[in-house]
Amino acid sequence: MTAHPHLSELADQYGTPLYVYDLDRLDAARHDLFGALPEEFDVFYALKANPHVDLVQALREGDGRACRAEISSTGELAAALQAGHDPGTVLYAGPGKTPGELREAVEQGVRLFSAESLTDLEHIGEAALAHDTVADCLLRINDVTARAATGVRMTGRPTQFGIDSETIAGLAPRLCSVPGISVAGLHLFSQSNAADEQALIAEFEHTIDTAARIERELGVPLRLLDIGGGFAVPYGQRGERTAYPALRAALGAALDARFPGWRQGTPRLAVESGRYLAGDCGTLLATVSNVKVSRGRTFVIPDTGINTFGGLSGLGRILPVSVRVESESTETERVTLAGPLCTPGDTLGRDVEVPAGLRPGDLVAMPNTGAYGPTASLLMFLGRPAPAEAVVRSGDVVSVSRIEHVRTYRKVKRAHD
Protein backbone atom coordinates (compact mmCIF):
# COMPACT_ATOMS: atom_id res chain seq x y z
CA MET A 1 0.00 0.00 0.00
CA THR A 2 1.22 3.49 -0.80
CA ALA A 3 2.75 5.23 2.19
CA HIS A 4 0.40 7.51 4.08
CA PRO A 5 0.28 8.99 7.56
CA HIS A 6 0.45 6.31 10.19
CA LEU A 7 -3.03 5.04 10.92
CA SER A 8 -2.62 5.43 14.65
CA GLU A 9 -1.58 9.06 14.16
CA LEU A 10 -4.71 9.70 12.12
CA ALA A 11 -6.82 8.05 14.82
CA ASP A 12 -5.17 10.20 17.49
CA GLN A 13 -5.78 13.37 15.48
CA TYR A 14 -9.32 12.78 14.23
CA GLY A 15 -10.71 10.21 16.66
CA THR A 16 -12.51 6.96 15.95
CA PRO A 17 -14.48 5.52 14.29
CA LEU A 18 -12.48 6.84 11.33
CA TYR A 19 -12.54 5.81 7.70
CA VAL A 20 -9.29 6.38 5.82
CA TYR A 21 -9.62 6.42 2.03
CA ASP A 22 -6.38 6.12 0.02
CA LEU A 23 -6.78 7.76 -3.41
CA ASP A 24 -3.67 5.95 -4.71
CA ARG A 25 -5.46 2.65 -4.12
CA LEU A 26 -8.55 4.06 -5.84
CA ASP A 27 -6.42 5.00 -8.87
CA ALA A 28 -4.94 1.50 -8.96
CA ALA A 29 -8.38 -0.12 -8.97
CA ARG A 30 -9.54 2.11 -11.82
CA HIS A 31 -6.38 1.33 -13.78
CA ASP A 32 -6.80 -2.40 -13.25
CA LEU A 33 -10.45 -2.42 -14.27
CA PHE A 34 -9.89 -0.45 -17.46
CA GLY A 35 -6.90 -2.69 -18.19
CA ALA A 36 -9.07 -5.80 -17.94
CA LEU A 37 -11.52 -4.48 -20.56
CA PRO A 38 -11.29 -3.77 -24.28
CA GLU A 39 -10.29 -0.14 -24.78
CA GLU A 40 -13.65 0.66 -26.38
CA PHE A 41 -15.48 0.21 -23.06
CA ASP A 42 -16.77 2.95 -20.78
CA VAL A 43 -16.90 2.36 -17.03
CA PHE A 44 -19.72 3.74 -14.88
CA TYR A 45 -18.90 4.23 -11.20
CA ALA A 46 -21.92 3.26 -9.09
CA LEU A 47 -22.09 5.98 -6.45
CA LYS A 48 -24.13 3.73 -4.17
CA ALA A 49 -20.85 2.07 -3.19
CA ASN A 50 -19.40 5.31 -1.83
CA PRO A 51 -20.68 8.78 -2.83
CA HIS A 52 -17.87 10.67 -1.08
CA VAL A 53 -17.22 13.60 -3.42
CA ASP A 54 -13.42 13.30 -3.23
CA LEU A 55 -13.60 9.68 -4.43
CA VAL A 56 -16.12 10.46 -7.17
CA GLN A 57 -13.98 13.34 -8.35
CA ALA A 58 -10.77 11.28 -8.32
CA LEU A 59 -12.38 8.57 -10.45
CA ARG A 60 -13.48 11.26 -12.91
CA GLU A 61 -10.22 13.19 -13.00
CA GLY A 62 -7.48 10.63 -12.52
CA ASP A 63 -4.66 9.87 -14.94
CA GLY A 64 -5.79 7.75 -17.84
CA ARG A 65 -9.41 6.96 -18.58
CA ALA A 66 -12.16 8.50 -16.48
CA CYS A 67 -15.21 6.85 -14.96
CA ARG A 68 -18.69 8.13 -15.70
CA ALA A 69 -21.27 8.35 -12.90
CA GLU A 70 -24.14 5.91 -12.34
CA ILE A 71 -26.66 7.19 -9.79
CA SER A 72 -29.91 6.05 -8.20
CA SER A 73 -31.12 9.22 -6.46
CA THR A 74 -31.06 12.98 -6.67
CA GLY A 75 -28.74 12.96 -3.66
CA GLU A 76 -26.22 10.97 -5.65
CA LEU A 77 -26.80 13.31 -8.58
CA ALA A 78 -25.84 16.23 -6.35
CA ALA A 79 -22.62 14.43 -5.37
CA ALA A 80 -21.81 13.67 -9.01
CA LEU A 81 -22.36 17.29 -10.02
CA GLN A 82 -20.29 18.55 -7.09
CA ALA A 83 -17.50 16.22 -8.26
CA GLY A 84 -17.58 17.86 -11.67
CA HIS A 85 -19.53 15.37 -13.76
CA ASP A 86 -21.39 16.66 -16.80
CA PRO A 87 -25.04 15.72 -16.13
CA GLY A 88 -25.36 14.70 -19.78
CA THR A 89 -22.92 11.82 -19.17
CA VAL A 90 -24.65 10.52 -16.01
CA LEU A 91 -26.74 7.33 -16.01
CA TYR A 92 -29.76 7.42 -13.67
CA ALA A 93 -30.95 3.93 -12.63
CA GLY A 94 -33.20 2.38 -10.00
CA PRO A 95 -36.67 0.81 -9.85
CA GLY A 96 -38.48 3.49 -7.82
CA LYS A 97 -37.73 6.83 -9.44
CA THR A 98 -40.44 9.24 -8.36
CA PRO A 99 -41.96 11.84 -10.70
CA GLY A 100 -40.39 14.59 -8.58
CA GLU A 101 -36.94 13.01 -8.75
CA LEU A 102 -37.22 12.54 -12.50
CA ARG A 103 -38.27 16.14 -13.04
CA GLU A 104 -35.34 17.35 -10.94
CA ALA A 105 -32.88 15.11 -12.79
CA VAL A 106 -34.07 16.24 -16.23
CA GLU A 107 -34.04 19.86 -15.10
CA GLN A 108 -30.43 19.39 -13.95
CA GLY A 109 -29.48 18.08 -17.40
CA VAL A 110 -29.59 14.28 -17.04
CA ARG A 111 -30.57 12.71 -20.36
CA LEU A 112 -29.68 9.03 -19.90
CA PHE A 113 -31.84 6.72 -17.80
CA SER A 114 -32.12 3.00 -17.14
CA ALA A 115 -35.82 2.04 -17.28
CA GLU A 116 -36.87 -0.87 -15.08
CA SER A 117 -40.44 -1.29 -16.42
CA LEU A 118 -42.92 0.11 -18.92
CA THR A 119 -44.36 2.43 -16.28
CA ASP A 120 -40.89 3.61 -15.31
CA LEU A 121 -40.27 4.36 -18.98
CA GLU A 122 -43.52 6.33 -19.15
CA HIS A 123 -42.60 8.36 -16.07
CA ILE A 124 -39.22 9.23 -17.60
CA GLY A 125 -40.97 10.30 -20.79
CA GLU A 126 -43.39 12.53 -18.87
CA ALA A 127 -40.51 14.28 -17.11
CA ALA A 128 -38.70 14.79 -20.40
CA LEU A 129 -41.79 16.21 -22.12
CA ALA A 130 -42.33 18.58 -19.20
CA HIS A 131 -38.94 20.08 -20.04
CA ASP A 132 -39.49 19.95 -23.81
CA THR A 133 -36.76 17.38 -24.40
CA VAL A 134 -36.25 13.68 -25.16
CA ALA A 135 -34.52 11.27 -22.76
CA ASP A 136 -32.36 8.39 -23.93
CA CYS A 137 -33.34 5.21 -22.12
CA LEU A 138 -31.66 1.87 -21.61
CA LEU A 139 -34.11 -0.94 -21.03
CA ARG A 140 -32.95 -2.90 -18.01
CA ILE A 141 -33.51 -6.60 -18.65
CA ASN A 142 -34.27 -9.29 -16.08
CA ASP A 143 -33.02 -12.28 -18.04
CA VAL A 144 -34.92 -15.50 -17.47
CA THR A 145 -31.75 -17.62 -17.71
CA ALA A 146 -28.15 -17.35 -16.57
CA ARG A 147 -24.91 -19.32 -16.88
CA ALA A 148 -22.88 -18.47 -13.81
CA ALA A 149 -23.66 -19.70 -10.32
CA THR A 150 -21.15 -17.65 -8.32
CA GLY A 151 -21.48 -14.26 -6.67
CA VAL A 152 -24.81 -12.66 -5.81
CA ARG A 153 -27.49 -13.48 -8.41
CA MET A 154 -29.38 -10.45 -9.73
CA THR A 155 -31.60 -11.99 -12.42
CA GLY A 156 -33.61 -15.08 -13.30
CA ARG A 157 -36.27 -14.67 -10.62
CA PRO A 158 -39.21 -12.38 -9.87
CA THR A 159 -37.74 -9.01 -8.95
CA GLN A 160 -38.40 -5.28 -8.95
CA PHE A 161 -35.36 -4.88 -11.20
CA GLY A 162 -35.72 -4.88 -14.96
CA ILE A 163 -38.19 -6.00 -17.61
CA ASP A 164 -38.61 -9.78 -17.82
CA SER A 165 -36.73 -10.89 -20.92
CA GLU A 166 -39.46 -13.29 -22.05
CA THR A 167 -41.93 -10.39 -22.33
CA ILE A 168 -39.83 -8.13 -24.56
CA ALA A 169 -41.13 -9.40 -27.89
CA GLY A 170 -44.76 -8.70 -26.91
CA LEU A 171 -43.95 -5.35 -25.31
CA ALA A 172 -41.63 -4.06 -28.03
CA PRO A 173 -44.15 -1.82 -29.85
CA ARG A 174 -45.20 -0.12 -26.59
CA LEU A 175 -41.67 0.21 -25.26
CA CYS A 176 -40.48 1.89 -28.45
CA SER A 177 -43.37 4.33 -28.76
CA VAL A 178 -43.46 6.01 -25.34
CA PRO A 179 -43.61 9.80 -25.86
CA GLY A 180 -40.60 11.72 -24.63
CA ILE A 181 -38.09 8.86 -24.74
CA SER A 182 -35.78 7.25 -27.25
CA VAL A 183 -34.75 3.63 -26.67
CA ALA A 184 -30.97 3.95 -26.75
CA GLY A 185 -29.97 0.46 -25.69
CA LEU A 186 -30.01 -2.18 -23.01
CA HIS A 187 -28.84 -2.52 -19.43
CA LEU A 188 -28.20 -5.99 -18.04
CA PHE A 189 -26.80 -6.68 -14.58
CA SER A 190 -26.88 -10.33 -13.64
CA GLN A 191 -24.52 -10.83 -10.71
CA SER A 192 -22.37 -9.13 -8.10
CA ASN A 193 -18.96 -9.90 -6.58
CA ALA A 194 -17.91 -12.78 -8.85
CA ALA A 195 -14.42 -13.86 -7.82
CA ASP A 196 -14.26 -16.68 -10.39
CA GLU A 197 -13.09 -15.22 -13.71
CA GLN A 198 -14.46 -18.00 -15.88
CA ALA A 199 -17.85 -17.68 -14.23
CA LEU A 200 -17.83 -13.93 -14.87
CA ILE A 201 -16.83 -14.47 -18.50
CA ALA A 202 -19.58 -17.04 -18.98
CA GLU A 203 -22.14 -14.62 -17.58
CA PHE A 204 -20.96 -11.78 -19.82
CA GLU A 205 -21.05 -14.07 -22.87
CA HIS A 206 -24.60 -15.01 -22.01
CA THR A 207 -25.50 -11.34 -21.49
CA ILE A 208 -24.13 -10.45 -24.93
CA ASP A 209 -26.10 -13.29 -26.53
CA THR A 210 -29.25 -12.08 -24.78
CA ALA A 211 -28.68 -8.48 -25.87
CA ALA A 212 -28.29 -9.51 -29.53
CA ARG A 213 -31.56 -11.45 -29.39
CA ILE A 214 -33.45 -8.59 -27.75
CA GLU A 215 -32.11 -6.10 -30.29
CA ARG A 216 -33.75 -8.22 -32.99
CA GLU A 217 -37.02 -8.43 -31.04
CA LEU A 218 -37.16 -4.69 -30.47
CA GLY A 219 -36.34 -3.86 -34.05
CA VAL A 220 -34.27 -0.93 -32.80
CA PRO A 221 -30.47 -0.78 -33.22
CA LEU A 222 -28.62 -0.46 -29.92
CA ARG A 223 -26.54 2.66 -29.43
CA LEU A 224 -25.34 1.73 -25.92
CA LEU A 225 -25.09 -1.67 -24.26
CA ASP A 226 -24.33 -1.76 -20.53
CA ILE A 227 -23.45 -5.36 -19.63
CA GLY A 228 -23.31 -4.72 -15.88
CA GLY A 229 -20.52 -5.73 -13.57
CA GLY A 230 -19.77 -8.32 -10.91
CA PHE A 231 -16.08 -7.52 -10.31
CA ALA A 232 -14.98 -8.80 -6.92
CA VAL A 233 -13.06 -7.42 -3.98
CA PRO A 234 -13.03 -8.61 -0.35
CA TYR A 235 -15.50 -6.76 1.85
CA GLY A 236 -14.26 -5.98 5.32
CA GLN A 237 -11.86 -8.93 5.12
CA ARG A 238 -8.19 -9.38 4.34
CA GLY A 239 -7.36 -10.06 0.73
CA GLU A 240 -6.72 -8.51 -2.67
CA ARG A 241 -8.93 -7.41 -5.52
CA THR A 242 -9.60 -10.20 -8.01
CA ALA A 243 -7.60 -10.05 -11.26
CA TYR A 244 -9.26 -10.79 -14.62
CA PRO A 245 -6.42 -11.43 -17.11
CA ALA A 246 -8.54 -13.36 -19.63
CA LEU A 247 -11.53 -11.03 -19.66
CA ARG A 248 -10.44 -8.57 -22.37
CA ALA A 249 -9.92 -11.21 -25.05
CA ALA A 250 -13.06 -13.12 -24.09
CA LEU A 251 -15.25 -10.02 -24.31
CA GLY A 252 -13.73 -9.08 -27.65
CA ALA A 253 -14.46 -12.52 -29.11
CA ALA A 254 -18.03 -12.59 -27.80
CA LEU A 255 -18.79 -9.11 -29.14
CA ASP A 256 -17.19 -9.83 -32.53
CA ALA A 257 -19.59 -12.76 -32.90
CA ARG A 258 -22.76 -10.86 -31.98
CA PHE A 259 -22.09 -7.17 -32.68
CA PRO A 260 -19.58 -6.91 -35.55
CA GLY A 261 -19.61 -3.09 -35.49
CA TRP A 262 -18.81 -2.67 -31.82
CA ARG A 263 -15.15 -1.73 -32.38
CA GLN A 264 -16.41 1.22 -34.45
CA GLY A 265 -18.87 2.23 -31.75
CA THR A 266 -22.04 0.39 -32.83
CA PRO A 267 -23.04 -0.13 -30.11
CA ARG A 268 -20.94 1.64 -27.51
CA LEU A 269 -20.12 -0.69 -24.63
CA ALA A 270 -20.08 -0.11 -20.90
CA VAL A 271 -19.72 -1.89 -17.59
CA GLU A 272 -20.47 -0.59 -14.13
CA SER A 273 -18.69 -1.06 -10.83
CA GLY A 274 -18.82 0.33 -7.34
CA ARG A 275 -17.37 -2.21 -4.93
CA TYR A 276 -14.37 -3.11 -7.12
CA LEU A 277 -13.34 0.51 -7.65
CA ALA A 278 -13.76 1.76 -4.09
CA GLY A 279 -13.54 -1.32 -1.91
CA ASP A 280 -9.86 -1.68 -1.14
CA CYS A 281 -9.09 2.03 -0.84
CA GLY A 282 -10.71 2.16 2.59
CA THR A 283 -9.63 1.20 6.11
CA LEU A 284 -11.96 1.59 9.08
CA LEU A 285 -10.23 2.41 12.36
CA ALA A 286 -11.95 1.73 15.66
CA THR A 287 -11.03 1.80 19.33
CA VAL A 288 -11.85 -1.09 21.65
CA SER A 289 -14.33 0.17 24.23
CA ASN A 290 -14.87 -3.00 26.22
CA VAL A 291 -13.83 -6.63 26.46
CA LYS A 292 -15.98 -9.12 28.31
CA VAL A 293 -16.39 -12.86 28.70
CA SER A 294 -19.85 -14.36 28.70
CA ARG A 295 -20.21 -18.08 29.41
CA GLY A 296 -16.86 -18.88 27.95
CA ARG A 297 -17.04 -16.63 24.91
CA THR A 298 -14.95 -13.46 24.61
CA PHE A 299 -16.64 -10.35 23.23
CA VAL A 300 -14.54 -7.48 21.93
CA ILE A 301 -16.65 -4.34 21.61
CA PRO A 302 -15.17 -1.49 19.55
CA ASP A 303 -16.71 1.95 19.09
CA THR A 304 -18.04 0.97 15.68
CA GLY A 305 -20.88 -1.28 14.60
CA ILE A 306 -23.60 -1.51 12.00
CA ASN A 307 -24.25 2.20 12.52
CA THR A 308 -20.82 2.82 10.94
CA PHE A 309 -20.08 -0.26 8.84
CA GLY A 310 -23.52 -1.64 8.20
CA GLY A 311 -23.09 -3.47 4.92
CA LEU A 312 -26.59 -2.44 3.89
CA SER A 313 -27.59 -2.96 7.50
CA GLY A 314 -29.58 -6.04 8.38
CA LEU A 315 -28.89 -7.97 5.20
CA GLY A 316 -26.18 -10.14 6.72
CA ARG A 317 -23.57 -9.11 4.18
CA ILE A 318 -20.75 -8.19 6.53
CA LEU A 319 -19.95 -11.38 8.42
CA PRO A 320 -17.21 -12.13 9.14
CA VAL A 321 -15.19 -8.91 9.39
CA SER A 322 -11.44 -9.30 9.92
CA VAL A 323 -9.27 -6.88 11.82
CA ARG A 324 -5.64 -5.84 11.90
CA VAL A 325 -4.04 -4.87 15.18
CA GLU A 326 -0.62 -3.36 15.75
CA SER A 327 0.85 -5.88 18.14
CA GLU A 328 4.12 -7.73 18.55
CA SER A 329 2.30 -10.70 20.04
CA THR A 330 2.18 -13.87 17.95
CA GLU A 331 -0.53 -15.43 20.08
CA THR A 332 -4.08 -15.17 18.84
CA GLU A 333 -7.55 -15.95 20.05
CA ARG A 334 -10.99 -16.09 18.46
CA VAL A 335 -13.58 -13.61 19.64
CA THR A 336 -16.95 -12.21 18.76
CA LEU A 337 -16.59 -8.68 17.41
CA ALA A 338 -19.71 -6.89 18.61
CA GLY A 339 -20.67 -3.29 17.99
CA PRO A 340 -21.69 -0.78 20.69
CA LEU A 341 -25.40 -0.57 19.82
CA CYS A 342 -28.21 -1.79 22.06
CA THR A 343 -29.29 -4.61 19.76
CA PRO A 344 -28.03 -8.19 19.37
CA GLY A 345 -28.01 -7.55 15.61
CA ASP A 346 -24.94 -5.37 16.03
CA THR A 347 -22.41 -8.12 15.42
CA LEU A 348 -19.53 -7.55 13.00
CA GLY A 349 -18.02 -11.01 13.19
CA ARG A 350 -17.97 -14.27 15.08
CA ASP A 351 -14.84 -16.35 15.58
CA VAL A 352 -12.69 -13.44 14.44
CA GLU A 353 -8.99 -14.17 14.93
CA VAL A 354 -7.27 -11.35 16.81
CA PRO A 355 -4.07 -10.98 18.85
CA ALA A 356 -4.63 -12.38 22.30
CA GLY A 357 -5.31 -9.99 25.12
CA LEU A 358 -7.01 -7.06 23.44
CA ARG A 359 -7.83 -4.34 25.94
CA PRO A 360 -9.97 -1.20 26.06
CA GLY A 361 -8.14 1.58 24.27
CA ASP A 362 -6.49 -0.67 21.68
CA LEU A 363 -6.81 0.43 18.06
CA VAL A 364 -8.11 -2.05 15.49
CA ALA A 365 -8.25 -1.64 11.71
CA MET A 366 -10.78 -3.25 9.37
CA PRO A 367 -9.43 -3.59 5.81
CA ASN A 368 -11.21 -3.30 2.46
CA THR A 369 -13.94 -1.00 3.78
CA GLY A 370 -14.02 1.63 1.05
CA ALA A 371 -17.38 0.46 -0.29
CA TYR A 372 -20.75 0.26 1.45
CA GLY A 373 -19.58 2.04 4.56
CA PRO A 374 -21.26 5.01 6.25
CA THR A 375 -24.01 5.60 3.71
CA ALA A 376 -24.96 1.90 3.77
CA SER A 377 -25.21 1.88 7.56
CA LEU A 378 -27.71 2.64 10.32
CA LEU A 379 -26.17 6.09 10.79
CA MET A 380 -29.07 7.54 12.76
CA PHE A 381 -29.65 4.62 15.12
CA LEU A 382 -29.21 5.66 18.78
CA GLY A 383 -28.12 9.13 17.67
CA ARG A 384 -24.42 8.29 17.65
CA PRO A 385 -22.19 10.63 15.61
CA ALA A 386 -21.30 9.51 12.11
CA PRO A 387 -17.69 8.38 11.64
CA ALA A 388 -15.09 10.83 10.44
CA GLU A 389 -13.78 10.21 6.91
CA ALA A 390 -10.20 11.13 6.01
CA VAL A 391 -8.97 11.11 2.42
CA VAL A 392 -5.24 10.68 1.83
CA ARG A 393 -2.96 10.69 -1.20
CA SER A 394 0.79 10.06 -1.35
CA GLY A 395 1.26 10.60 2.36
CA ASP A 396 -0.83 13.74 2.64
CA VAL A 397 -4.27 14.24 4.14
CA VAL A 398 -6.51 15.69 1.42
CA SER A 399 -9.66 16.24 3.46
CA VAL A 400 -11.47 15.25 6.64
CA SER A 401 -15.25 15.31 6.83
CA ARG A 402 -18.19 13.97 8.77
CA ILE A 403 -21.84 13.48 7.82
CA GLU A 404 -24.00 15.50 10.21
CA HIS A 405 -27.43 14.50 11.48
CA VAL A 406 -29.73 17.52 11.41
CA ARG A 407 -33.44 17.60 12.18
CA THR A 408 -35.29 20.53 10.61
CA TYR A 409 -38.33 21.74 12.56
CA ARG A 410 -41.34 23.53 11.20
CA LYS A 411 -43.92 24.84 13.65
CA VAL A 412 -47.50 24.07 12.66
CA LYS A 413 -50.14 26.65 13.59
CA ARG A 414 -53.23 24.99 15.04
CA ALA A 415 -56.69 26.24 14.05
CA HIS A 416 -57.67 27.41 17.57
CA ASP A 417 -54.38 29.26 18.24
Side-chain angles (χ1 to χ4, degrees), residues 47-52 308 312 372-379 389 403:
L47 267 71
K48 64 177 67 69
N50 190 331
H52 193 296
T308 299
L312 305 177
Y372 299 108
T375 55
S377 304
L378 292 176
L379 276 179
E389 297 172 271
I403 298 170

Side-chain angles (χ1 to χ4, degrees), residues 282-303:
T283 302
L284 173 56
L285 303 179
T287 302
V288 175
S289 298
N290 194 12
V291 179
K292 61 165 289 187
V293 176
S294 175
R295 293 173 179 158
R297 180 180 297 179
T298 300
F299 289 80
V300 173
I301 306 170
D303 58 1

Side-chain angles (χ1 to χ4, degrees), residues 7 283-286 322-325 363-367:
L7 293 177
T283 302
L284 173 56
L285 303 179
S322 60
V323 299
R324 299 196 311 261
V325 180
L363 184 70
V364 298
M366 303 176 193

Side-chain angles (χ1 to χ4, degrees), residues 245-268:
L247 181 59
R248 175 191 283 253
L251 283 175
L255 289 164
D256 285 340
R258 293 290 181 263
F259 294 98
W262 74 277
R263 295 183 189 273
Q264 291 74 46
T266 307
R268 287 175 27 237

